[in-house]
Amino acid sequence: MVNNEVKPNVLKPRWTKVFSDLWDDKTRTTLVVASIAVGVFAVGMIITALMILREDINISYASANPANIEIWTDPFRGDLVRVIEKVPDIDEVEGRHIVSIRARRGDENWQGLKLVGVPDFENMGINQLGILEGSPIPGKGEIILSQDMMNSTGYQVGDMIEIELPDGSTHQLTVAGLVSDQTSARPDTNATSNAFVTLDTIRSLGLGNNYNRLLITVAGDGSNELFIASVASQVEDKIESHNRAVYRTEKNKSNEHPMTDTILAMMGVLGALGILITILSISLIINTLNAMMTQQLRQIGVMKLIGASSFQILGMYLSLIVVYGVIALLIAVPLGTLAGNALAGFVTNLMGAELQGFSIIPIAITVQVLLAFLIPLAAGFFPVNRGSRTNVRRAISNYRPRNQAASQGFLNRSGRWVSWISRPILLSFRNTFRKKGRLILTIFTLTIAGAVFIGVFNVQASMNNLMDQLMQHFLGDVTITFNRPYNTSKVERDLLAVPGVVGVEGWGAAGGDILDENDDVMTSLAIIAPPQDSQLVDPDIVAGRWLEPGEKKAMVISDTIYDYYPDIEPGDQLIVEIPGNREEEWEVVGIYRFVSMLGEPMAYANFEFVADKVNMPNQATSFRITTIPTEGDSLQTLIQRIETQLDNKGYAVQSLEAGDIMREGATTGVNTLIIFLLIMALLTAFVGSIGLMGTMSINVLERTREIGVMRTIGAVDLVVMQSVVIEGLVIGLITWVIAIGLSYPISFALLQIIGQAMAGSSFALIFTPLGVALWLAVVILLSIIASVMPARNAARLTINEVLAYE
């Protein structure tokens, strides 16, 4: 016996309809949920990473007990350490012996290292190291190396490396371990890895039994800059009272990583793009719900006939939006948490820091929940409210105002001009502009995506241009630093004898302080002195002029001076003190653009004047070389030739660096940022493609009867699919053209934010055609992909299905 009993529906009719709308149109549900989830995921990922980094970076940095005060001074023994320990408000004091060396493995090229002699690794209280691999304590004749993503030697535990000391002597050391050194992870154009050895090894290398660096932590508030500065001043006075000069002093907070502000600002930029992605999903929601309300007008009319109120219908459709949000949250929240922790882990590795463990951030989840509900509800309320208030007569009659007359009239009036175009293609153009409101929303979403995408490449070009300018301040094709000064004419003569070397410039340098009227130090000052006819410096002068020949006590200073003197102008005087010289007033003749994240202000002065100040007339320790490699030679081959020549002539080389290698290292952080921005741009493009796919699906659904008529008069599947794909391409190409123009303000805004975060100033905008060309390829690909599925659905419709469609 057949049981024909109908099982009762335990759900209320309105909920039955909500779940029916979700399940019956899986394509619509997938598109809406995906568009909400992508934005919610992006925001959750960025907030999670931001909150983790804000806490964990500083906790990790503080755990290394970083030096609040680091002082470069004349060689000293342990008795000075004990003297400094008695200065009020001092917690710990340790000495270090630090010297710049060169190292290589086998026949590889030399690379610069900082050799750090530590008195007691087991009781290392300041600037503590984290072990990555091998032993944390080197034995005699062993070395441990700092390793991070910004600076990596490439050496491994067990490697035998050759080091060259300032006196030119070479020694063999074994790599015993790799360590992380958070205190050295900071922006620095001359950053090199640290190599740690015991004082026994220092003595065995013939470097003596002295220290030349003081590391100090304060006993009071290690986050109070004024307090740290006052303690540093007392220490400097004590050192000078023991007949030792203070060459440089650095001051740092105990609980704030030097790169925290920069990293958090970068994460803020990514967060803003994440919010933009979420907002862009509005267009898809509006388009989808508008189409749904149009398709379900008769259903609304029937519901009203049997007693449903407009308020009940409104609530039912808003409940559908809420369900969309719930599904999106179930996908976006766990993925956002995982991705946020992964992103935070990547950034901390970049900085040599450590995460404090896997974290779930409540504020990130709260924001995700609010975004998943409020934005879709705000976007969907108006079309749903308008549809729910439709009167019964209009709903039952299924009356729809036609708005394509204008486009049809235009095509009819232009018939003789477009007669050579096939009819299916003309229909594609007509259908593109039939629903103008839907078209505008789709164009808006995809245009913003394209503008952000192009903008990222403009930002990359602008940042690369900035790095090119910055590198001009530091190096030529090859930069040589000697351990002692040499006569510039002799070095030039010897290097020009090397085939491929076409220019040699000796550059002077000095360190000093800028003082205020009370003789208190305002900031340290790095003074660089290129030769008067230098071809290797072309700073971006923002005020004033360049140096004139023979000009004394004159300087062109970086715009980072505005951090200390906001109102300074060319012609103003600054009090400068160079060690071994009395304080003097120098005139600021020009100001050039620089990057504040690179540290203290930097100034240019005339070579002859600075050389006299440091008692090195016609001598220099730094030389910059321009080259034209001979046919068949690489730059590395030329560098080896230069090294051989210097060895044969008996020069004591401290470092020899190729410009492109130093530039590559300096741009690591910038390239990482660009990768993150590009990922966010691709997510934006994904939302735009979802919007386009939704629009195409709706358009195909509304053209069902038209497609049926085309099929009855002989249109084959390929023709039907072609008409849909062409429509998608037309929309995509329209957005591409508009995106080019919109990319200018978006690029400018992104660059301003990044410039303020990284440099404290604005960057010059460079527009590159690369982004435009790539976005054209991407938008064509996206348009085809977004149109193929609706096109296939259209081609599969049978004549019976389309003629029966209502």
Side-chain angles (χ1 to χ4, degrees), residues 57 106 122 182 194 300 310 317 369 417 453 488 699 771 799 803:
I57 284 179
E122 292 184 350
Q182 299 181 61
N194 288 335
I300 293 172
S310 296
Y317 282 105
V369 171
W417 302 105
F453 185 92
T488 55
N699 287 353
I799 296 176
L803 294 180

Side-chain angles (χ1 to χ4, degrees), residues 11-20 303 312 315-316 319:
L11 295 175
K12 291 183 178 181
R14 69 187 68 175
W15 284 108
T16 300
K17 173 164 175 50
V18 167
F19 289 115
S20 174
M303 286 188 284
Q312 289 175 320
M316 182 182 64
S319 298

Side-chain angles (χ1 to χ4, degrees), residues 445-580:
T445 305
L446 205 53
T447 298
I448 295 295
V452 171
F453 185 92
I454 296 172
V456 168
F457 283 90
N458 292 339
V459 168
Q460 182 184 33
S462 303
M463 297 294 289
N464 286 338
N465 176 68
L466 173 72
M467 296 310 298
D468 287 339
Q469 292 179 0
L470 290 180
M471 288 301 101
Q472 292 184 22
H473 297 290
F474 299 103
L475 46 107
D477 294 329
V478 180
T479 295
I480 302 173
T481 303
F482 294 114
N483 287 313
R484 62 183 182 84
Y486 289 97
N487 181 274
T488 55
S489 298
K490 181 180 185 303
V491 174
E492 180 178 355
R493 188 167 55 251
D494 289 339
L495 287 175
L496 286 175
V498 178
V501 174
V502 295
V504 180
E505 296 182 3
W507 284 47
D513 294 317
I514 297 177
L515 309 178
D516 62 13
E517 294 80 2
N518 301 318
D519 290 339
D520 293 327
V521 176
M522 290 292 292
T523 178
S524 299
L525 178 68
I527 303 172
I528 297 180
Q532 187 60 49
D533 57 350
S534 174
Q535 303 299 309
L536 298 178
V537 60
D538 184 22
D540 182 8
I541 303 291
V542 296
R545 59 172 174 81
W546 185 244
L547 297 162
E548 294 181 352
E551 202 167 15
K552 298 182 178 181
K553 290 191 289 187
M555 60 180 168
V556 179
I557 196 166
S558 62
D559 59 0
T560 53
I561 192 64
Y562 289 134
D563 294 338
Y564 307 94
Y565 297 92
D567 301 322
I568 194 169
E569 295 179 352
D572 291 347
Q573 304 285 325
L574 289 176
I575 302 173
V576 177
E577 183 180 35
I578 297 175

Side-chain angles (χ1 to χ4, degrees), residues 91 141 224 248 527 701 774 804:
D91 182 28
N224 187 323
R248 179 179 174 186
I527 303 172
L701 191 62
L774 285 177

Side-chain angles (χ1 to χ4, degrees), residues 410-462:
F410 172 78
L411 290 175
N412 290 334
R413 290 192 300 271
S414 306
R416 60 177 180 172
W417 302 105
V418 296
S419 58
W420 55 275
I421 303 176
S422 67
R423 195 66 182 171
I425 294 179
L426 286 176
L427 286 174
S428 298
F429 281 100
R430 185 209 66 178
N431 291 324
T432 300
F433 299 96
R434 184 171 61 173
K435 294 288 187 178
K436 295 182 178 61
R438 184 183 304 156
L439 176 65
I440 290 172
L441 288 174
T442 305
I443 288 176
F444 169 76
T445 305
L446 205 53
T447 298
I448 295 295
V452 171
F453 185 92
I454 296 172
V456 168
F457 283 90
N458 292 339
V459 168
Q460 182 184 33
S462 303

